[in-house]
Amino acid sequence: AFAEKVNTEKYWVATEIVKEKSVIKRARMIKHFLKIAVYCQSCNNFNSMFCILSGLAHPSLKRLEDTWSKLTGKWYRVFEDLHDLLDPSRNMYKYRNLMNNAPCRAPMIPFFPVLKKDLTFIHLGIDTKVEGGLINFEKMRMISREIQNIQKYSSMEYNPRTMFNLAGDTGSAARLRRKESNNLPTSNAKKLYDKGLMQRKVALYLSEIINYDEAKLRQYSHACEPPSPTTFTSTLQRRSLPDLTDLVRGNKQAPPPPDSVSDKVEVDSSLRKSNSVESVNSKRYLTPLNTSSHLSSPPPSSTT
């Protein structure tokens, strides 16, 4: 279920943006999702943060150059800084360093694919039994260490409204969030009903709008910004260049292939002429070589 949620959040971001036809609105949506990613990072929700960044880096969305050009330099730098944490080099060193920092304390939601990869590599890459049929306790200690980290991340109740108290946020927005968290509507049945109804509406909306088909996303992307045909047209022009130049110079139709015997004879004669010209040119270029060979050869013996 958690792996499905990762794909759901990723394709939700890509689908929402590529389905929008306005360039300005697409740029605003990218900025809005970047704000959500920054908020998730401040709440130690690294799973949703990386899902949003993966959706923004989707090929169908990344190719929209006009849309990204409308984004201000500030938010483009924010995207680059956050996306830099997804660098897979050195076994996700930057992400693991971020996880071990002081501000990142429990409660925390780690990036699920990395957590799953670590457990999979430990389980499949290390033998359970060593020589002599003994149990490999080093492998068991590594697995228990990963499980202890997961328990440490979930040792406290995850409430985004109280996360800013742990981070030391003392602004007016933080005071308002603390006030709301202290006065939660636990006894107001009407507000609880509205909240549940809104959650069902959001779940229904997400189940209908999210598109997991890569071909469909590519089609939406091409509808937003059609691909430039420069490469394709240049290839066609290179292939048909001789025929097009003949037509432009003479302003005539292309000659049909030789069908009659006379046409074939004319073509053969033209080929002979071209071959004879080439042979003459080749002889011209080869004459210096012949003279040099004569110069290097010994002089003939004189007869008296």
Side-chain angles (χ1 to χ4, degrees), residues 236-283:
L236 290 180
Q237 289 175 0
R238 285 196 299 269
R239 290 179 179 177
S240 58
L241 184 59
D243 297 336
L244 289 177
T245 51
D246 293 338
L247 292 177
V248 171
R249 289 175 182 176
N251 294 326
K252 298 179 181 179
Q253 295 182 357
D259 294 331
S260 60
V261 177
S262 60
D263 293 339
K264 292 182 180 179
V265 171
E266 292 178 0
V267 171
D268 294 336
S269 61
S270 63
L271 289 175
R272 291 195 197 97
K273 290 181 181 179
S274 62
N275 292 333
S276 62
V277 172
E278 290 179 358
S279 61
V280 170
N281 292 333
S282 63
K283 289 180 180 179

Side-chain angles (χ1 to χ4, degrees), residues 2-244:
F2 211 91
E4 293 179 359
K5 186 174 287 296
V6 171
N7 293 328
T8 300
E9 293 182 1
K10 172 186 174 181
Y11 283 99
W12 166 59
V13 174
T15 307
E16 285 279 4
I17 298 177
V18 297
K19 274 192 171 184
E20 179 57 49
K21 297 182 179 179
S22 174
V23 180
I24 303 299
K25 290 183 179 180
R26 287 199 300 269
R28 290 176 181 174
M29 293 174 71
I30 292 176
K31 178 181 176 181
H32 183 70
F33 279 117
L34 286 175
K35 289 182 178 180
I36 297 175
V38 173
Y39 180 79
C40 291
Q41 182 183 9
S42 62
C43 293
N44 291 344
N45 187 357
F46 296 105
N47 189 72
S48 295
M49 182 190 76
F50 282 122
C51 290
I52 293 173
L53 294 176
S54 300
L56 293 176
H58 194 272
S60 62
L61 180 56
K62 198 174 181 180
R63 60 169 297 275
L64 302 178
E65 297 180 358
D66 294 341
T67 303
W68 287 99
S69 63
K70 301 296 181 182
L71 202 65
T72 59
K74 171 189 173 183
W75 288 105
Y76 195 81
R77 286 191 297 271
V78 169
F79 171 73
E80 288 182 341
D81 294 340
L82 293 177
H83 192 265
D84 195 33
L85 298 175
L86 281 172
D87 185 12
S89 62
R90 300 173 61 185
N91 196 15
M92 301 287 291
Y93 170 76
K94 295 181 179 179
Y95 163 69
R96 297 180 189 276
N97 190 25
L98 179 65
M99 294 282 290
N100 296 327
N101 280 339
C104 299
R105 296 172 291 184
M108 183 189 301
I109 303 178
F111 190 34
F112 179 74
V114 176
L115 186 64
K116 183 179 179 180
K117 180 182 74 70
D118 292 342
L119 291 173
T120 303
F121 270 79
I122 293 173
H123 178 64
L124 299 179
I126 303 176
D127 295 332
T128 305
K129 293 184 179 181
V130 295
E131 296 179 0
L134 301 177
I135 297 177
N136 190 355
F137 283 96
E138 182 61 28
K139 175 180 179 180
M140 303 304 166
R141 277 192 290 266
M142 294 175 67
I143 294 177
S144 65
R145 194 179 302 118
E146 295 294 331
I147 296 175
Q148 286 176 2
N149 289 333
I150 298 174
Q151 291 177 346
K152 182 182 69 175
Y153 299 151
S154 59
S155 60
M156 297 177 60
E157 182 183 1
Y158 188 85
N159 187 0
R161 294 182 177 181
T162 60
M163 294 294 292
F164 295 93
N165 299 342
L166 298 175
D169 193 355
T170 58
S172 59
R175 289 195 295 270
L176 180 60
R177 282 190 289 267
R178 285 195 293 269
K179 182 178 178 181
E180 292 178 353
S181 61
N182 294 331
N183 300 322
L184 292 177
T186 55
S187 60
N188 195 334
K190 179 67 168 58
K191 291 184 178 180
L192 289 176
Y193 173 77
D194 293 340
K195 183 179 179 180
L197 183 62
M198 181 58 65
Q199 291 176 353
R200 288 192 294 270
K201 288 183 179 180
V202 171
L204 181 61
Y205 170 77
L206 293 177
S207 63
E208 294 178 353
I209 192 175
I210 297 177
N211 195 330
Y212 297 94
D213 189 4
E214 295 286 346
K216 198 69 175 178
L217 291 175
R218 195 181 307 112
Q219 182 180 354
Y220 289 143
S221 178
H222 290 173
C224 295
E225 294 182 16
S228 58
T230 54
T231 307
F232 183 70
T233 55
S234 62
T235 305
L236 290 180
Q237 289 175 0
R238 285 196 299 269
R239 290 179 179 177
S240 58
L241 184 59
D243 297 336
L244 289 177

